[in-house]
Amino acid sequence: MTYPDPDSSSAELFARARKVMPGGNSRTGVFLSPYPIYAVHGEGCRVTDADGNVRIDCINNWSSLIHGHGNPAIQAAISEQSRHLLAAGMPTELEIELAELLCERLPGVEQIRFSNSGTEGMMMALRAARAFTGRDMVAKVEGAFHGSADALEISVAPSRSQWGPADAPASVPATAGIPVKVRQDTLVLPFNNVEATARLLEAHADELAAVVIDPIVSRIGFVEASAEYLQTVRALTEKKGIVLIFDEVFSFRVGYHGAQGLTGITPDLTALGKIIGGGLPVGATGGKAEIMEVFDQTKKPLRVEHGGTYNANPLTMAAGLACMRQMTPAAYERLDRLGDRMRDGLRRCLKDHDLPGQVKGRGSLVGLLFDGKPFADFRTLPRGKDQLQRILGLHRFLLNHGVQIIPFGLMILSTAMTETDVDEVLEQVSAGMAALPSFDLSHAG
Ligand SMILES: Cc1ncc(COP(=O)(O)O)c(C=O)c1O
């Protein structure tokens, strides 16, 4: 197990890929420098790469695989469904069953419609909010990622020189290709800053269609919205007739009733994706019936047209049902315990190796930082050179010792893991921490 290795199959595949795809792939986030590791097989919590290396998977496709790889019930559901129908240009009973399950579990979801990615789930939530309120502007939190919709690829990870005032963050496009007018219609909020957020929302109340919040922000090391922050935003949005959207594409995996169930705050709309498709492409927009009514094609005139060749496709619905039915309260409790074991173990590793650091996360989400400074938002997130070098170094060490994590220190667990698997990860983390000073980071990217 040697990464990087210019003679590896993955290196060869990447050279081939670069000829036909710019940057050699179709998904920025899976790139590793100098080349991404190509996957060929997954089983339980382990994934095998093109060179035959097997690693414990703590990425789980950035959270979509809550049961890891090759879950028998999901495989059986996909296989069975594939014998009946892939798609038909007709609805199926399966989408009703998955909708019933989600409406029953999520306090803020009375009705729901499916799409094919979290991005689409968010996009349709914004469109519904705009149609419902007749307003254009949307607000999001600085440092949060909500997928690829233009209005939300704003201030995801702006550089310090672009930040603007702490109590009124600048609206900074995260990518080229975002129209100036779109950027101007996105208001950026300072996360967990109750006073400044309240002031900004009051000032723009008449223009705002929606406020988008992810209660647990993955891109800020799984930092959580404070209870006071959520209560303030909920009270203000209610008072001003602004639609409160929770992005639970990622954070739905923390509990049977989602992140909203844990926070006790009920949004007007919720965007979903990832786990609800059982590993296949999926997105969804759900919420209060009076807002979801904008999608009702039986009402004339139709207010929001929501099409999509693969929306609620039977394979995804079957896989999603097989996945979610296994996510019983007991399954969440077991995942919580695995997460606690990993978090406690990582804290112990930091202590044993006398390294600065902290461990965040909840349930199956685990975030490790090599900096003990408390933080609550994007601006205070530790981003010193030492922290970066250590986390990238550890990531590289783990790759060569049978474990894959998200490069900047996030681990996402699955029900396929056992306590023994968690302990194996911790053993390698401890070995990696012991070896940290000797890492060559010249290829870390
Ligand atoms: C919080 C959040 N929202 C939305 C998305 C977009 O989902 P998708 O990649 O399925 O488009 C993601 C993807 O990682 C996400 O983490």
Side-chain angles (χ1 to χ4, degrees):
M1 214 177 283
T2 307
Y3 180 86
D5 172 5
D7 296 324
S8 64
S9 299
S10 280
E12 261 176 48
L13 286 169
F14 186 56
R16 220 175 104 200
R18 293 199 76 161
K19 297 197 178 116
V20 285
M21 288 177 276
N25 79 6
S26 304
R27 187 179 179 191
T28 313
V30 297
F31 178 67
L32 273 183
S33 178
Y35 60 85
I37 297 173
Y38 284 75
V40 290
H41 181 73
E43 209 167 312
C45 69
R46 287 174 171 77
V47 69
T48 306
D49 73 15
D51 291 281
N53 300 307
V54 182
R55 298 182 179 87
I56 296 184
D57 190 358
C58 298
I59 300 177
N60 283 302
N61 194 25
W62 288 72
S63 154
S64 77
L65 301 172
I66 199 159
H67 297 298
H69 303 272
N71 177 267
I74 298 177
Q75 277 184 337
I78 293 174
S79 153
E80 172 71 11
Q81 185 56 39
S82 73
R83 281 194 288 275
H84 291 296
L85 186 71
L86 293 184
M90 296 152 78
T92 67
E93 187 176 349
L94 294 163
E95 72 192 81
I96 307 172
E97 288 181 57
L98 187 55
E100 284 168 347
L101 182 149
L102 295 168
C103 289
E104 190 264 318
R105 291 191 186 188
L106 282 156
V109 176
E110 292 168 359
Q111 293 196 315
I112 193 164
R113 286 181 73 117
F114 295 102
S115 50
N116 299 290
S117 65
T119 291
E120 274 183 70
M122 279 307 309
M123 243 168 58
M124 296 319 292
L126 291 189
R127 191 167 297 167
R130 285 170 165 151
F132 183 72
T133 60
R135 305 170 187 160
D136 285 346
M137 200 174 206
V138 299
K140 76 169 289 280
V141 156
E142 188 176 45
F145 175 69
H146 300 291
S148 306
D150 282 359
L152 297 172
E153 277 230 71
I154 301 285
S155 296
V156 176
S159 56
R160 196 178 289 267
S161 62
Q162 299 172 307
W163 284 358
D167 57 357
S171 172
V172 183
T175 163
I178 307 253
V180 174
K181 286 182 184 148
V182 171
R183 172 170 64 71
Q184 288 165 345
D185 268 342
T186 298
L187 175 71
V188 180
L189 306 172
F191 195 44
N192 280 332
N193 183 334
V194 176
E195 275 166 38
T197 293
R199 211 173 318 112
L200 286 167
L201 294 184
E202 293 269 11
H204 294 277
D206 296 340
E207 303 155 278
L208 276 168
V211 175
V212 177
I213 303 271
D214 180 347
I216 306 172
V217 187
S218 65
R219 296 288 181 102
I220 317 182
F222 292 134
V223 75
E224 297 186 22
S226 70
E228 193 192 357
Y229 192 73
L230 287 179
Q231 281 155 11
T232 305
V233 172
R234 177 65 285 187
L236 260 176
T237 48
E238 207 160 275
K239 186 167 137 208
K240 301 290 182 182
I242 303 166
V243 175
L244 177 59
I245 303 172
F246 270 13
D247 177 350
E248 293 213 31
V249 170
F250 211 109
S251 48
F252 180 47
R253 71 153 44 224
V254 296
Y256 188 81
H257 301 292
Q260 56 198 256
L262 296 179
T263 62
I265 299 289
T266 304
D268 302 308
L269 291 179
T270 302
L272 298 169
K274 303 212 191 248
I275 68 165
I276 67 161
L280 295 186
V282 77
T285 308
K288 284 189 178 150
E290 65 167 329
I291 304 178
M292 291 300 290
E293 198 185 18
V294 299
F295 294 114
D296 187 343
Q297 66 273 326
T298 67
K299 302 252 159 72
K300 301 284 178 252
L302 172 58
R303 295 176 68 194
V304 176
E305 167 135 2
H306 179 219
T309 305
Y310 299 105
N311 288 1
N313 75 80
L315 274 193
T316 296
M317 296 297 105
L321 272 168
C323 169
M324 295 309 301
R325 282 180 178 147
Q326 292 176 78
M327 288 314 301
T328 57
Y332 281 102
E333 272 167 34
R334 183 173 166 270
L335 260 185
D336 288 352
R337 283 197 301 275
L338 286 179
D340 286 341
R341 190 177 185 92
M342 188 71 93
R343 282 182 288 274
D344 291 346
L346 290 173
R347 289 186 188 112
R348 220 172 28 249
C349 287
L350 286 169
K351 198 154 172 260
D352 288 351
H353 295 282
D354 202 18
L355 285 162
Q358 57 188 306
V359 182
K360 284 218 173 319
R362 193 187 258 261
S364 55
L365 306 175
V366 182
L368 168 69
L369 277 149
F370 283 108
D371 189 324
K373 191 170 58 91
F375 68 98
D377 64 4
F378 173 72
R379 296 197 183 187
T380 51
L381 174 73
R383 45 171 71 76
K385 191 160 162 261
D386 282 355
Q387 130 74 15
L388 195 66
Q389 285 210 322
R390 284 181 173 140
I391 209 74
L392 293 176
L394 180 64
H395 167 258
R396 186 59 49 98
F397 178 93
L398 292 176
L399 272 186
N400 287 323
H401 293 81
V403 178
Q404 57 181 35
I405 66 170
I406 293 177
F408 45 94
L410 307 184
M411 298 180 187
I412 297 162
L413 312 186
S414 71
T415 62
M417 288 178 170
T418 62
E419 292 184 350
T420 312
D421 298 317
V422 169
D423 293 347
E424 194 176 325
V425 172
L426 290 169
E427 202 178 300
Q428 295 307 334
V429 168
S430 179
M433 285 185 181
L436 272 178
S438 61
F439 283 144
D440 170 13
L441 293 179
S442 56
H443 291 295

XYZ file of all heavy atoms in Angstrom, residues 355-356 368-371 382-398 405 407-409 432-433 435-445:
314
model
N -0.688 16.130 21.567
C -0.915 17.021 20.421
C -2.081 17.954 20.722
O -3.056 17.548 21.365
C -1.250 16.196 19.177
C -0.079 15.464 18.527
C -0.585 14.357 17.612
C 0.782 16.461 17.738
N -2.020 19.197 20.237
C -3.172 20.082 20.409
C -4.295 19.582 19.509
O -4.023 18.995 18.453
C -2.645 21.434 19.893
C -1.572 21.086 18.925
C -0.954 19.789 19.410
N -12.060 15.758 13.304
C -10.821 15.899 14.080
C -10.059 17.129 13.604
O -9.888 17.347 12.401
C -9.937 14.651 13.871
C -8.492 14.742 14.360
C -8.429 14.787 15.892
C -7.676 13.538 13.851
N -9.624 17.929 14.563
C -8.824 19.119 14.245
C -7.579 19.120 15.118
O -7.668 18.813 16.316
C -9.619 20.386 14.572
C -10.597 20.879 13.534
C -11.749 21.562 14.218
C -9.919 21.827 12.562
N -6.443 19.504 14.541
C -5.219 19.585 15.339
C -5.024 21.004 15.867
O -3.999 21.637 15.642
C -4.012 19.162 14.491
C -3.917 17.670 14.313
C -4.195 17.088 13.088
C -3.568 16.847 15.374
C -4.116 15.721 12.916
C -3.483 15.466 15.215
C -3.755 14.904 13.977
N -6.041 21.503 16.510
C -5.987 22.845 17.097
C -7.098 22.884 18.140
O -8.255 22.585 17.810
C -6.213 23.904 16.005
C -5.946 25.315 16.516
O -6.257 25.598 17.691
O -5.439 26.144 15.730
N -10.215 26.882 13.042
C -8.749 26.881 12.992
C -8.242 26.520 11.595
O -8.657 25.526 11.017
C -8.364 25.797 13.997
C -9.540 25.651 14.898
C -10.728 25.948 14.053
N -7.390 27.377 11.048
C -6.859 27.090 9.719
C -5.360 27.406 9.642
O -4.843 27.772 8.594
C -7.649 27.820 8.633
C -7.969 29.271 8.924
C -8.566 29.995 7.723
N -9.920 29.594 7.382
C -11.027 29.957 8.032
N -10.926 30.739 9.101
N -12.211 29.574 7.639
N -4.667 27.236 10.796
C -3.224 27.488 10.810
C -2.472 26.421 10.023
O -2.992 25.343 9.761
N -1.217 26.760 9.670
C -0.409 25.849 8.850
C -0.159 24.514 9.575
O -0.218 23.453 8.951
C 0.922 26.541 8.526
C 1.734 25.844 7.490
C 2.771 26.786 6.871
C 3.852 25.978 6.179
N 5.073 25.808 6.958
N 0.104 24.589 10.884
C 0.385 23.358 11.642
C -0.800 22.397 11.586
O -0.651 21.200 11.357
C 0.643 23.683 13.120
C 2.038 24.222 13.300
O 2.800 24.239 12.308
O 2.354 24.630 14.440
N -2.002 22.956 11.820
C -3.218 22.131 11.806
C -3.371 21.483 10.430
O -3.601 20.291 10.313
C -4.427 22.997 12.210
C -5.655 22.968 11.336
C -6.476 21.685 11.464
O -6.299 20.904 12.388
N -7.350 21.437 10.497
N -3.195 22.277 9.381
C -3.381 21.771 8.018
C -2.365 20.678 7.693
O -2.708 19.612 7.173
C -3.235 22.937 7.041
C -3.751 22.656 5.644
C -5.254 22.474 5.674
C -3.375 23.812 4.708
N -1.099 20.958 8.028
C -0.054 19.972 7.731
C -0.304 18.672 8.467
O -0.135 17.589 7.925
C 1.300 20.529 8.141
C 1.798 21.578 7.181
C 3.307 21.595 7.120
O 3.946 21.419 8.147
N 3.862 21.822 5.958
N -0.735 18.781 9.700
C -0.953 17.564 10.487
C -2.137 16.768 9.946
O -2.065 15.541 9.834
C -1.198 17.926 11.956
C 0.086 18.304 12.655
C -0.174 18.644 14.103
N 1.074 18.838 14.797
C 1.292 19.787 15.698
N 0.321 20.632 16.016
N 2.445 19.899 16.290
N -3.214 17.480 9.616
C -4.407 16.730 9.192
C -4.169 16.082 7.825
O -4.553 14.943 7.575
C -5.677 17.621 9.233
C -6.908 16.776 9.502
C -5.901 18.430 7.992
C -7.063 16.281 10.867
N -3.506 16.822 6.945
C -3.216 16.236 5.622
C -2.194 15.105 5.757
O -2.273 14.095 5.063
C -2.705 17.306 4.650
C -3.734 18.360 4.257
C -3.101 19.427 3.360
C -4.918 17.722 3.529
N -1.271 15.296 6.661
C -0.272 14.250 6.909
C -0.913 12.991 7.453
O -0.609 11.870 7.020
N -1.844 13.165 8.388
C -2.523 12.004 8.961
C -3.352 11.301 7.886
O -3.366 10.070 7.780
C -3.427 12.436 10.127
C -4.179 11.296 10.798
C -3.214 10.315 11.472
C -5.179 11.823 11.824
N -4.037 12.114 7.077
C -4.839 11.535 5.991
C -3.964 10.674 5.087
O -4.312 9.539 4.752
C -5.501 12.666 5.187
C -6.093 12.203 3.891
N -5.475 12.406 2.676
C -7.228 11.520 3.624
C -6.219 11.862 1.716
N -7.281 11.337 2.267
N -2.813 11.197 4.749
C -1.888 10.458 3.869
C -1.368 9.187 4.559
O -1.302 8.125 3.946
C -0.725 11.390 3.472
C 0.244 10.844 2.451
C -0.415 10.477 1.140
N -1.274 11.503 0.609
C -0.923 12.375 -0.329
N 0.288 12.368 -0.815
N -1.787 13.263 -0.785
N -1.032 9.295 5.821
C -0.563 8.115 6.571
C -1.652 7.036 6.571
O -1.390 5.864 6.308
C -0.217 8.515 8.016
C 0.216 7.359 8.860
C 1.563 7.031 8.989
C -0.715 6.567 9.535
C 1.960 5.937 9.767
C -0.323 5.475 10.311
C 1.017 5.166 10.423
N -2.885 7.459 6.860
C -3.979 6.482 6.957
C -4.221 5.779 5.625
O -4.472 4.569 5.582
C -5.257 7.166 7.449
C -5.210 7.661 8.903
C -6.493 8.420 9.248
C -5.015 6.495 9.884
N -10.177 8.523 5.132
C -11.018 9.545 5.757
C -11.117 10.726 4.795
O -10.371 10.781 3.810
C -10.452 10.027 7.122
C -9.119 10.781 6.938
C -10.258 8.869 8.077
C -8.620 11.484 8.198
N -10.066 14.132 3.512
C -8.736 14.705 3.765
C -8.668 15.734 4.885
O -7.716 15.756 5.638
C -8.357 15.318 2.415
C -9.094 14.489 1.419
C -10.379 14.078 2.081
N -9.672 16.597 5.036
C -9.523 17.614 6.075
C -10.092 17.193 7.437
O -10.598 18.004 8.209
C -10.011 19.001 5.631
C -11.330 19.022 4.915
C -12.497 19.245 5.613
C -11.402 18.825 3.546
C -13.710 19.258 4.962
C -12.623 18.839 2.881
C -13.775 19.052 3.590
N -9.998 15.877 7.725
C -10.220 15.421 9.097
C -11.613 14.950 9.452
O -11.912 14.758 10.624
N -0.313 6.962 13.235
C -0.105 8.133 12.368
C 0.303 9.354 13.172
O 1.174 10.118 12.772
N -0.319 9.535 14.329
C 0.036 10.679 15.180
C 1.481 10.545 15.667
O 2.207 11.527 15.759
C -0.921 10.797 16.356
C -2.286 11.342 15.950
S -3.335 11.590 17.405
C -4.849 12.204 16.662
N 3.824 9.222 14.054
C 4.733 9.414 12.915
C 4.662 10.821 12.325
O 5.447 11.156 11.439
C 4.390 8.394 11.829
N 3.737 11.647 12.820
C 3.452 12.933 12.174
C 4.663 13.779 11.753
O 4.692 14.260 10.615
C 2.536 13.790 13.059
C 1.042 13.587 12.880
C 0.279 14.454 13.852
C 0.611 13.877 11.467
N 5.656 13.969 12.627
C 6.711 14.906 12.253
C 7.477 14.520 10.990
O 8.035 15.369 10.328
C 7.650 14.876 13.471
C 6.840 14.312 14.571
C 5.838 13.424 13.956
N 7.467 13.230 10.626
C 8.306 12.827 9.498
C 7.597 12.881 8.144
O 8.133 12.446 7.138
C 8.824 11.407 9.745
O 7.722 10.535 9.845
N 6.356 13.394 8.099
C 5.634 13.351 6.826
C 6.168 14.322 5.775
O 6.461 15.473 6.061
C 4.156 13.652 7.042
C 3.417 12.480 7.598
C 2.401 12.666 8.505
C 3.749 11.208 7.218
C 1.721 11.599 9.022
C 3.075 10.116 7.736
C 2.063 10.324 8.643
N 6.251 13.809 4.553
C 6.570 14.669 3.418
C 5.229 15.082 2.800
O 4.501 14.259 2.235
C 7.391 13.884 2.402
C 7.542 14.654 1.094
O 7.227 15.856 1.096
O 7.962 14.039 0.104
N 4.910 16.366 2.906
C 3.599 16.824 2.429
C 3.666 17.407 1.027
O 2.721 18.026 0.567
C 3.025 17.880 3.392
C 2.656 17.354 4.768
C 2.123 18.497 5.620
C 1.618 16.254 4.664
N 4.757 17.182 0.333
C 4.911 17.867 -0.952
C 3.851 17.462 -1.959
O 3.564 18.171 -2.895
C 6.307 17.606 -1.520
O 6.516 16.216 -1.617
N 3.222 16.280 -1.746
C 2.177 15.858 -2.692
C 0.791 15.993 -2.121
O -0.178 15.493 -2.698
C 2.404 14.389 -3.069
C 3.620 14.186 -3.897
N 3.769 14.696 -5.162
C 4.775 13.535 -3.611
C 4.954 14.351 -5.636
N 5.589 13.664 -4.711
N 0.663 16.614 -0.962
C -0.630 16.581 -0.284
C -1.713 17.346 -1.023
O -2.881 17.081 -0.878
C -0.496 17.110 1.132
N -1.383 18.287 -1.856
C -2.379 19.004 -2.635
C -3.120 20.026 -1.825
O -2.925 20.172 -0.626
